[in-house]
Amino acid sequence: MKVAVIGAGTMGRGIAQAFAQCDEVEKVYLCDIKQEFADGGKDMVKKGFDKRIAKGKMAQEDADKILNKIQTGLNSQAVDPDLVVEAALEVMDIKKATFKELQEDIVKNPDCIFASNTSSLSITEIGNGLPKPIIGMHFFNPAPVMKLVEVIAGINTPAADVAKVVEISEKLGKTPVQVNEAPGFVVNRILVPMINEGIQVYSEGVADIEGIDSAMKLGCNHPMGPLELGDYIGLDIVLAIMDVIYKETGDSKYRACTLLRKMVRGKHLGCKTGIGFYKYENGAKTPVDKL
Ligand code: 3HC
């Protein structure tokens, strides 16, 4: 099987790694709008492997085998994939234009399945006006590690595509859960309002940053507290998901916290900008008081 992953950011490169690690996948095209972005994505995968090799957890030859399957380039290299997984920016017009170009001008395999890794946008709307249907194939960060794939059917997604994507997810060693299209699907509908609530609790001065994260880790056995998880996902992504769920449902319980919006406006996005609820410097993480 050949797979094209569109977008080499955090999710795209993780998804590319997850596919390349699967024995049934012979080639992964890791694509972006600039060659250097695609190369940078592959380089991050290599750096992750280098760390594991240094710890004695991975053999160099296994890393090389996986990396050799990942071919970087522009979207135009994706001529013969069996599956496209789009992980571009969470902007509807960009996703639509990307799929239009792939379906009309680039991908020549008539049986190719076109999937989006969108975190909350409507699969039906992404597919509107396109020659071929779209399906949701939603991975979780870090994609090579997290076991879940949400397989999301829009109103025009063929059942055969759902069955095929479920089968592919299982081949990757993931557990697929079938989801009918709804704002935020299952996980983000529950998880992201919880993170937003964590930010609200903080902005009311109920506890400090580390206190809130410790409380949720120790009290609920979550691997990360809501504020560190928000930083990890990216606070811009958290805000975008809240805004989509709020807009689609009109329900005020999904209103984004004003502190979250202010932080995103100020580029305090979390790990990716080096500052969010924590400051990330030289591998260390220290809480940043926002009140
Ligand atoms: N890429 C690849 N592998 C990674 C990785 C990454 N970015 N981060 C960690 N790993 C691997 C490590 O190599 C290690 O593997 P090994 O044991 O074989 O060497 C394993 O994961 C565990 O990593 P660590 O020992 O360094 O750290 P932890 O045990 O603390 O686990 C964690 C890290 C898996 C990130 C854990 O803290 C966790 O599960 N956090 C919650 C993540 C979560 O909730 N994700 C979902 C976010 S929502 C989402 O993605 C949806 C989107 O639409 C917004």
Side-chain angles (χ1 to χ4, degrees):
M1 178 171 61
K2 292 180 187 168
V3 180
V5 179
I6 308 298
T10 308
M11 288 310 291
R13 66 180 180 246
I15 293 167
Q17 181 184 330
F19 276 107
Q21 287 174 177
C22 173
D23 287 341
E24 298 207 20
V25 174
E26 56 180 290
K27 172 83 71 191
V28 178
Y29 301 111
L30 180 56
C31 311
D32 213 309
I33 51 169
K34 286 189 180 171
Q35 179 71 41
E36 67 207 72
F37 295 166
D39 290 342
K42 183 171 173 179
D43 201 44
M44 291 298 285
V45 175
K46 183 178 177 306
K47 285 198 172 109
F49 287 167
D50 288 345
K51 278 190 199 157
R52 299 197 70 221
I53 292 163
K55 286 184 197 161
K57 287 185 168 182
M58 188 178 206
Q60 183 69 56
E61 60 178 303
D62 293 335
D64 291 343
K65 196 173 143 202
I66 296 165
L67 288 167
N68 284 339
K69 286 191 200 175
I70 302 177
Q71 181 176 311
T72 59
L74 306 181
N75 293 1
S76 54
Q77 69 168 329
V79 176
D80 61 347
D82 303 290
L83 172 70
V84 167
V85 181
E86 170 275 321
L89 292 180
E90 283 292 281
V91 177
M92 182 59 81
D93 288 348
I94 291 178
K95 292 195 185 293
K96 279 174 175 273
T98 302
F99 277 119
K100 188 172 187 318
E101 188 190 25
L102 284 162
Q103 292 186 356
E104 290 181 351
D105 304 327
I106 299 174
V107 176
K108 304 297 176 216
N109 175 6
D111 299 323
C112 179
I113 293 177
F114 293 87
S116 174
N117 178 61
T118 180
S119 53
S120 64
L121 295 174
S122 162
I123 299 300
T124 304
E125 182 54 36
I126 295 173
N128 262 346
L130 292 177
K132 295 194 170 168
I134 299 294
I135 185 166
M137 187 176 192
H138 186 208
F139 290 81
F140 293 81
N141 189 18
V145 176
M146 303 295 282
K147 291 289 176 207
L148 176 67
V149 174
E150 287 180 321
V151 180
I152 305 132
I155 201 162
N156 297 317
T157 307
D161 286 9
V162 173
K164 188 77 191 154
V165 172
V166 163
E167 188 191 322
I168 293 169
S169 304
E170 284 167 349
K171 283 184 179 156
L172 294 181
K174 307 288 187 195
T175 301
V177 169
Q178 289 184 51
V179 178
N180 284 321
E181 180 180 315
F185 316 129
V186 171
V187 172
N188 284 342
R189 164 86 172 266
I190 297 168
L191 176 72
V192 175
M194 185 203 72
I195 294 171
N196 188 60
E197 196 60 24
I199 301 171
Q200 185 66 35
V201 165
Y202 170 68
S203 67
E204 288 173 16
V206 179
D208 65 13
I209 292 169
E210 286 178 299
I212 290 167
D213 281 339
S214 293
M216 291 303 287
K217 279 193 281 193
L218 301 176
C220 299
N221 252 358
H222 290 186
M224 288 178 167
L227 304 180
E228 61 178 333
L229 184 55
D231 274 6
Y232 186 68
I233 293 170
L235 295 173
D236 53 338
I237 305 286
V238 171
L239 177 61
I241 295 169
M242 284 306 291
D243 282 347
V244 166
I245 303 177
Y246 179 64
K247 188 168 163 237
E248 293 276 329
T249 62
D251 191 329
S252 63
K253 75 181 176 186
Y254 298 115
R255 186 168 47 84
C257 176
T258 49
L259 174 60
L260 170 62
R261 203 174 291 285
K262 182 166 77 174
M263 289 174 71
V264 172
R265 285 180 176 144
K267 302 279 183 286
H268 291 219
L269 306 182
C271 302
K272 67 173 107 171
T273 56
I275 186 162
F277 288 98
Y278 295 83
K279 192 164 190 165
Y280 302 85
E281 249 173 357
N282 308 320
K285 176 174 150 216
T286 42
V288 183
D289 196 0
K290 306 273 167 199
L291 296 181

